[in-house]
Amino acid sequence: MQHRRLRFGRGFRVLFDCRGVQAAQMVIAPGGCEGGPDNRHRGAEQWLYVVSGSGVAIVDGARRALAAGSLLLIERGEPHEIRNTGRTPLKTLNFYAPPAYTPAGDERPAGRAPRRG
């Protein structure tokens, strides 16, 4: 069992991964954004759940409003950007299958799952 209390401080933070799925938290300041037209995960699907705040997701050119309780699936290879359009931090919990980031938060090359040792 792995356990972590989520604090949603700042930025992007990998929490842990297990059996081909990774959890991470992301906080975007008011007026801020993450990603852009060239941002895509070539080797992983991303499930994004909005814990609090509001914003907009632009996925493969389509815009979707985000608010607390929103669940968004960004499929492998889809270009995407997440923008905070509200007055408070946009806090999200993200799951990647397979894991998309190293523990330090650097993106893994497509198809590179973490090594077990």
Side-chain angles (χ1 to χ4, degrees), residues 79-96:
H80 60 280
E81 179 178 350
I82 308 299
R83 296 180 185 170
N84 183 339
T85 59
R87 296 182 187 181
T88 62
L90 176 61
K91 299 177 182 181
T92 68
L93 181 59
N94 302 272
F95 296 94
Y96 299 91

Side-chain angles (χ1 to χ4, degrees), residues 1 5 47 55 65 71-72 75 80 95 115 117:
M1 175 174 66
R5 180 168 164 68
W47 294 80
L71 178 63
L72 178 69
E75 294 186 47
H80 60 280
F95 296 94
R115 291 183 179 160

Side-chain angles (χ1 to χ4, degrees), residues 47-79:
W47 294 80
L48 180 144
Y49 177 76
V50 178
V51 175
S52 65
S54 60
V56 64
I58 304 167
V59 181
D60 206 14
R63 298 173 74 88
R64 295 287 181 260
L66 298 174
S70 295
L71 178 63
L72 178 69
L73 169 60
I74 302 167
E75 294 186 47
R76 183 179 311 219
E78 288 184 319

Side-chain angles (χ1 to χ4, degrees), residues 94-117:
N94 302 272
F95 296 94
Y96 299 91
Y101 293 92
T102 67
D106 298 316
E107 191 163 7
R108 296 181 201 275
R112 295 287 172 99
R115 291 183 179 160
R116 299 262 178 215

Side-chain angles (χ1 to χ4, degrees), residues 8 34 42 55:
F8 292 101
E34 288 290 330
R42 297 187 191 285

Side-chain angles (χ1 to χ4, degrees), residues 4 12-17 22 100-106 108 114:
R4 180 145 309 154
F12 181 83
R13 181 174 166 209
V14 173
L15 301 168
F16 46 78
D17 56 74
Q22 182 175 62
Y101 293 92
T102 67
D106 298 316
R108 296 181 201 275

